[in-house]
Amino acid sequence: MKIADFQQIEEKWQKYWEENQVYKAVFDKTKPKYYVLEMFPYPSGQLHMGHARNYCIGDAIARYYFLKGYNVLHPIGWDAFGLPAENAAIKNKIHPKVWTENNINTMRKQLKRLGISYDWSREINTSTPQYYKFTQWMFLKLFENGLAYRKKGLVNWCFHCNTVLANEQVIDGKCWRCNNQVGKKELEQWFIRITKYADSLLEELENLDGWSNYVKQMQRNWIGKSLGARVKFWVPDFQEYLEIFTTRPDTLPGVTFVCIAPEHSLVKKIVEKTNNKEIIEYLEKTASLTTTERTKEKTGVFTSFYCQNPLNGNLVPIWIANYVLGDYGTGAVMAVPAHDQRDYEFAKTYNLPIIPVIMPEYEIENKAYEEQKGKMFNVGTIDGILVDGMDCNDFKVFVVKYLESKGLGYEEVNYKLKDWLISRQRYWGAPIPIIYCDSCGIVPVPYEDLPVLLPENVEITGKGESPLSYCPEFVNTTCPKCGGKAKRETDTMDTFMCSSWYFWRYTSPYRNDLPFDKDELDYWMPVDQYIGGIEHAVMHLLYSRFLSHFLYDLGLVPTKEPFKNLLNQGMVCKDGKAMSKSLGNIVSIEEIVEKYGADTGRVFELFVAPPEKDIEWSDKGIEGVHRFLNRFFKYVKNLIESKSEGVLQEEDRKKILNRVYRMLSKITEEFESKRYHFNTSIAALMELLNFLEENVEIVNNLSKQDKDDVIDILIKAISPFAPHLAEELWNLWGKKGSVFKDKWPEIKHEYLVENKITIPIQINGKLRGQLEIDIDADKDTIIHYILNEPKISKYIQNKQIKNIIFVKNKIINLIV
């Protein structure tokens, strides 16, 4: 097959698939279903081969299940709201809606050109009123159940994007989108109370057998459940308690100072009382630092005030320290420099006392002993009980009970997870469906008034305040409760609100009264195979799980967990770095399709490495794959056209069928096991092709039935990876319709029984060849074969065999 034929064949079959709606999913309870979903793309401009890998993996899986007779749902859509569209609008003086729709049109063509088996009739776009009406519906459900609330507080602020970021969107102190440093700002914001579901989200991770342990551990770490104690330190000068949370109450006797965050409420009182210039200057300096900068170089300032250790009554100094964050825990920490390295370094810097209270189990110098094992010492008695010599873990239990008895503390579970901040001071997002009325307060927009539409005549400047606040026809409204004058909320929702429920919408995308049809949802959910990048482990995946748990509790969705199996694909790299337009190292889809065909690009990306591993783009590699597909097509086409059928030894027949069914078994196992190591599947196809080409006469003499079986298996085995090529061969074979409407071949296990085995032959420890022999052949038989095989026997001519090392069915080594 000539290279030019690829384009002709691919266009032909893509047209056939579309005209005949080959991949259209139809609700049918009589059939088993399989829901395959790749994380939907943000329409940023153009896809490249780095993006394509995700879709090629999902497509291979979908096509296998088509052939297995499943009712496959394989939809696509667009995560279309977001900051890049707004920035492009400012830069190019084009409306975000126009920019987004243009990009969607381009990317839709690219995906169709790759031949992905999507049901395009279910295509969704999160920026359309038909979709964000139900994003707003989700918000109202959260609001009426007490899980959406408004409060004033410090938020993560990207000064480059001029917007708020959720904690999950700050990565190493930088904005997840623009990679610039993130600071803090005080604003009134809307939050989702995801923390209420912290335990549920943790517990259900144990049931996600189809998820990698790595992703599950990332979520566990992000939720960060820890058991400890809340402890009250009395502050005499202000006649109030300073509360801290600690996971190490056993170290309470070793507290030598307490640190509070610059944002802590006590700091304001200290400044008002003292007007201390050193403290004021320190606060100003800290306010200009990002979270990352604050935690890198740990600094502090002494307040001149003290608080009382509730365990021993000792007065310890109160410091303001930059590494203590106001939105984590209570915003105050007890410092035990002998048993916490961070506290140790701070104490050394400011010459503060270090008092060890747990005896190290090994010699330790110039650092803190942080291990939670050892005997207590240097404490004495508490409440008449001798503490010294007590195991530190037993003392931990004792301390909490003691504090509870005195009303100075109690056992507490704490979480690193914070409530989800969803307010964004941006235009291109779903409006928050809330109205503010002077008489009625905060009033939710009634369900029947959804969607709250985004006005199109808005000036987008990129300033910090939401552009919607400058649009009077949007802002000014009527209170649905009292009928009086009111104003709308002008912030829009975090785009992760849109993507946290889209997988449900695919099940019934044209429903106008509800976000989904219950019968269809019950049938299609959960998603059987979800595919996407590891970068979404603690954002999209966590938010989607939360919303699913919430709606499950309301009886609105059939499963608590939305994604049964999760595959996180690796990146496609070029020149050692992930493909990126900004780095200038992309390979365009058009370039590959025009030069080699879509099937070549698809097979290359599946062949280079297992799906979870990163791959390095290789021009030589893609040329090699192209040659293989040409050979494969030519071989199968010749086999279809061959008329010969002759006398064949049963041993030769079984040899061919054994290799064919071994390949089929290998590929089937990769799909059924959910490993999806398509690299080994494609390698098995390549090895089989080599074998068949070497044994062309035997294959041509197979009976018509055997030959038909071989052709059927070859076409279907390659079809998930190179669907256009498979369809063309299917058609050349005289079959009607699409190969994907047929059935995956059955494995005939009688042909998998091995009668022969290949073992390595060594002479003096060096590999000199291989021999195919009967299984369980004895040593004398193998030596007979060696002596009669010129390619090996030449190494022992005129030499004496001194010793023979023989392991049956494994190896033979002649010492000469």
Side-chain angles (χ1 to χ4, degrees):
M1 179 170 55
K2 297 177 182 178
I3 291 175
D5 291 338
F6 271 111
Q7 292 184 39
Q8 183 182 347
I9 288 169
E10 289 170 358
E11 288 171 6
K12 165 187 168 182
W13 287 105
Q14 287 163 14
K15 183 180 179 184
Y16 176 87
W17 294 334
E18 188 165 352
E19 289 178 350
N20 291 274
Q21 297 184 316
V22 171
Y23 308 118
K24 184 176 175 62
V26 178
F27 176 50
D28 184 352
K29 286 185 176 180
T30 66
K31 290 184 177 180
K33 66 90 183 180
Y34 205 85
Y35 187 173
V36 182
L37 185 63
E38 301 95 58
M39 293 180 186
F40 63 168
Y42 179 78
S44 57
Q46 285 197 329
L47 295 170
H48 53 69
M49 292 307 295
H51 300 119
R53 190 182 187 199
N54 183 33
Y55 311 117
C56 293
I57 292 169
D59 193 51
I61 296 168
R63 291 181 181 281
Y64 173 77
Y65 281 97
F66 276 119
L67 283 160
K68 289 292 286 184
Y70 282 80
N71 192 12
V72 177
L73 175 58
H74 188 207
I76 186 64
W78 312 98
D79 190 9
F81 273 140
L83 196 56
E86 199 158 329
N87 289 340
I90 297 167
K91 182 179 178 181
N92 303 315
K93 296 181 180 179
I94 184 173
H95 196 280
K97 181 180 178 181
V98 176
W99 185 84
T100 300
E101 289 176 350
N102 288 343
N103 290 343
I104 287 174
N105 290 335
T106 298
M107 293 167 70
R108 186 189 295 114
K109 288 176 184 175
Q110 289 182 300
L111 288 174
K112 287 186 175 183
R113 193 64 189 87
L114 281 172
I116 309 296
S117 60
Y118 291 133
D119 177 359
W120 287 99
S121 70
R122 294 174 183 259
E123 182 181 5
I124 60 173
N125 176 341
T126 62
S127 67
T128 62
Q130 294 85 352
Y131 184 91
Y132 69 72
K133 169 183 179 178
F134 296 113
T135 302
Q136 294 170 343
W137 185 95
M138 298 289 169
F139 176 90
L140 292 180
K141 285 293 175 191
L142 291 162
F143 180 81
E144 67 188 33
N145 285 278
L147 295 181
Y149 66 95
R150 192 170 183 247
K151 73 169 184 177
K152 195 171 186 179
L154 284 170
V155 296
N156 301 309
W157 183 263
C158 177
F159 292 95
H160 181 266
C161 297
N162 283 316
T163 194
V164 170
L165 299 174
N167 289 320
E168 293 83 356
Q169 293 167 326
V170 181
I171 301 169
D172 296 328
K174 294 181 179 180
C175 173
W176 74 292
R177 276 208 185 278
C178 70
N179 207 36
N180 283 295
Q181 287 289 342
V182 171
K184 294 286 184 180
K185 194 171 183 178
E186 191 172 55
L187 290 173
E188 195 109 39
Q189 304 285 287
W190 280 95
F191 292 82
I192 303 298
R193 209 182 302 275
I194 190 174
T195 50
K196 186 177 179 182
Y197 278 81
D199 281 327
S200 177
L201 291 167
L202 272 176
E203 289 162 9
E204 288 302 316
L205 283 172
E206 303 307 315
N207 298 322
L208 293 176
D209 296 331
W211 287 40
S212 73
N213 289 329
Y214 181 67
V215 171
K216 290 193 284 188
Q217 192 57 45
M218 286 177 74
Q219 291 213 355
R220 287 190 195 100
N221 293 343
W222 190 263
I223 295 168
K225 183 177 182 178
S226 55
L227 180 64
R230 184 172 284 248
V231 184
K232 298 178 179 180
F233 285 73
W234 180 249
V235 186
D237 289 289
F238 293 95
Q239 291 294 292
E240 64 179 71
Y241 283 109
L242 178 62
E243 296 190 0
I244 62 96
F245 172 82
T246 179
T247 58
R248 296 293 305 275
D250 52 317
T251 64
L252 195 54
V255 173
T256 59
F257 59 99
V258 167
C259 288
I260 59 177
E263 303 85 10
H264 197 283
S265 58
L266 184 60
V267 172
K268 187 177 180 181
K269 296 174 184 178
I270 290 170
V271 171
E272 289 174 351
K273 190 165 187 172
T274 65
N275 198 30
N276 186 308
K277 288 184 179 180
E278 186 181 1
I279 292 175
I280 293 170
E281 287 175 2
Y282 181 79
L283 294 173
E284 290 173 350
K285 181 182 177 182
T286 306
S288 67
L289 299 176
T290 65
T291 301
T292 306
E293 289 169 337
R294 280 176 58 170
T295 53
K296 274 183 181 176
E297 185 183 354
K298 301 169 185 67
T299 63
V301 61
F302 179 40
T303 64
S304 301
F305 293 97
Y306 294 79
C307 58
Q308 192 174 45
N309 187 324
L311 200 59
N312 53 28
N314 292 343
L315 287 174
V316 295
I318 300 172
W319 283 68
I320 301 169
N322 64 352
Y323 68 87
V324 183
L325 304 176
D327 59 354
Y328 184 75
T330 64
V333 298
M334 66 180 211
V336 189
H339 302 293
D340 183 284
Q341 188 61 28
R342 182 186 60 180
D343 298 342
Y344 178 88
E345 292 166 3
F346 192 91
K348 283 291 187 182
T349 301
Y350 293 100
N351 198 27
L352 295 165
I354 299 174
I355 302 174
V357 293
I358 300 173
M359 182 71 72
E361 295 195 338
Y362 49 84
E363 192 172 335
I364 187 167
E365 291 183 7
N366 301 321
K367 64 177 181 177
Y369 176 68
E370 296 186 300
E371 291 195 40
Q372 200 167 325
K373 55 184 179 180
K375 302 292 185 183
M376 302 301 299
F377 82 110
N378 210 16
V379 180
T381 61
I382 294 175
D383 211 21
I385 295 175
L386 180 65
V387 172
D388 292 347
M390 188 183 293
D391 183 87
C392 67
N393 289 294
D394 294 335
F395 180 62
K396 178 189 281 190
V397 177
F398 171 82
V399 166
V400 175
K401 288 182 178 178
Y402 172 81
L403 292 172
E404 287 176 343
S405 70
K406 301 295 182 181
L408 295 172
Y410 51 88
E411 187 175 77
E412 185 178 75
V413 175
N414 201 21
Y415 301 90
K416 283 174 63 180
L417 180 69
K418 300 302 169 192
D419 282 342
W420 177 13
L421 172 59
I422 65 160
S423 291
R424 297 293 179 271
Q425 292 67 45
R426 284 295 182 176
Y427 165 74
W428 195 235
I432 296 174
I434 288 292
I435 291 170
Y436 301 106
C437 173
D438 289 340
S439 300
C440 305
I442 296 175
V443 182
V445 173
Y447 287 101
E448 60 270 21
D449 291 347
L450 297 180
V452 177
L453 292 170
L454 268 181
E456 293 194 14
N457 58 330
V458 173
E459 184 183 2
I460 302 168
T461 63
K463 293 179 181 178
E465 203 170 348
S466 170
L468 293 176
S469 62
Y470 299 102
C471 183
E473 57 267 37
F474 175 83
V475 175
N476 298 318
T477 189
T478 302
C479 175
K481 208 169 184 180
C482 70
K485 290 182 178 180
K487 294 187 181 298
R488 292 192 187 278
E489 170 63 65
T490 58
D491 284 354
T492 54
M493 285 187 252
D494 178 11
T495 55
F496 282 106
M497 273 292 290
C498 303
S499 61
S500 64
W501 72 277
Y502 79 107
F503 41 88
W504 292 317
R505 186 61 176 168
Y506 283 133
T507 66
S508 41
Y510 301 115
R511 189 80 186 250
N512 291 319
D513 55 336
L514 288 170
F516 34 70
D517 180 275
K518 189 177 186 305
D519 287 341
E520 295 225 26
L521 202 67
D522 289 348
Y523 174 65
W524 290 113
M525 289 300 292
V527 174
D528 293 284
Q529 185 64 62
Y530 200 33
I531 305 144
I534 193 75
E535 67 272 16
H536 296 295
V538 293
M539 289 192 284
H540 162 62
L541 288 171
L542 191 65
Y543 298 146
S544 297
R545 291 186 62 227
F546 156 69
L547 196 60
S548 189
H549 284 220
F550 165 64
L551 292 185
Y552 178 80
D553 286 350
L554 295 183
L556 295 175
V557 298
T559 61
K560 184 174 278 192
E561 289 294 335
F563 313 120
K564 187 176 180 181
N565 297 289
L566 174 69
L567 172 62
N568 298 115
Q569 88 281 356
M571 295 183 294
V572 180
C573 303
K574 190 171 185 288
D575 306 323
K577 294 180 180 178
M579 276 194 191
S580 169
K581 188 176 179 181
S582 62
L583 295 175
N585 66 339
I586 66 168
V587 176
S588 76
I589 289 173
E590 289 77 7
E591 176 188 345
I592 297 305
V593 169
E594 289 168 13
K595 189 173 182 181
Y596 300 105
D599 280 348
T600 297
R602 293 165 57 112
V603 172
F604 171 78
E605 294 208 329
L606 297 174
F607 171 62
V608 180
E612 70 276 8
K613 302 293 185 184
D614 293 349
I615 64 174
E616 180 68 26
W617 186 266
S618 165
D619 292 336
K620 285 185 178 179
I622 200 159
E623 286 168 4
V625 166
H626 190 55
R627 288 194 298 271
F628 159 68
L629 291 180
N630 270 286
R631 282 174 51 217
F632 187 94
F633 185 90
K634 181 180 178 182
Y635 178 84
V636 178
K637 184 172 180 289
N638 288 340
L639 191 58
I640 289 169
E641 294 169 352
S642 69
K643 303 297 182 184
S644 57
E645 182 181 345
V647 179
L648 195 64
Q649 294 289 330
E650 182 64 14
E651 184 179 348
D652 286 337
R653 172 180 175 267
K654 286 185 176 179
K655 180 172 75 171
I656 298 298
L657 296 180
N658 169 262
R659 293 295 290 267
V660 170
Y661 281 103
R662 275 166 54 189
M663 177 277 299
L664 178 62
S665 177
K666 168 65 182 170
I667 294 178
T668 304
E669 172 62 18
E670 288 304 328
F671 281 109
E672 293 294 333
S673 68
K674 305 285 190 291
R675 282 193 306 263
Y676 305 129
H677 284 190
F678 300 137
N679 56 316
T680 60
S681 299
I682 294 165
L685 273 164
M686 291 176 170
E687 290 168 8
L688 177 63
L689 180 61
N690 292 338
F691 174 80
L692 294 176
E693 287 176 335
E694 290 168 3
N695 293 273
V696 65
E697 289 185 15
I698 298 176
V699 177
N700 284 340
N701 284 316
L702 288 171
S703 69
K704 184 178 185 305
Q705 182 59 58
D706 285 343
K707 196 180 293 182
D708 283 351
D709 287 346
V710 171
I711 293 169
D712 186 69
I713 290 169
L714 287 172
I715 292 173
K716 289 173 181 173
I718 204 168
S719 66
F721 317 123
H724 307 90
L725 180 148
E727 291 278 38
E728 184 67 12
L729 288 170
W730 185 251
N731 186 250
L732 287 173
W733 196 25
K735 303 294 183 179
K736 301 298 182 184
S738 170
V739 67
F740 297 103
K741 294 297 183 181
D742 210 73
K743 300 295 181 185
W744 187 255
E746 292 292 328
I747 299 169
K748 295 182 180 178
H749 292 278
E750 63 267 27
Y751 294 115
L752 294 179
V753 177
E754 296 282 359
N755 298 316
K756 298 282 187 179
I757 193 169
T758 301
I759 68 165
I761 309 300
Q762 293 184 349
I763 309 295
N764 289 343
K766 291 185 178 181
L767 181 66
R768 296 302 188 184
Q770 293 182 324
L771 280 179
E772 187 179 69
I773 57 167
D774 292 332
I775 285 181
D776 294 331
D778 60 24
K779 180 172 62 176
D780 292 338
T781 300
I782 296 172
I783 290 175
H784 174 75
Y785 278 123
I786 292 172
L787 294 174
N788 288 279
E789 174 53 60
K791 291 181 180 178
I792 300 175
S793 62
K794 66 181 181 181
Y795 294 105
I796 58 176
Q797 282 180 358
N798 304 319
K799 293 181 181 178
Q800 181 183 354
I801 300 174
K802 290 186 175 183
N803 192 18
I804 301 172
I805 300 168
F806 173 64
V807 181
K808 185 180 284 188
N809 296 329
K810 295 290 185 182
I811 194 171
I812 189 166
N813 182 14
L814 306 184
I815 310 300
V816 300

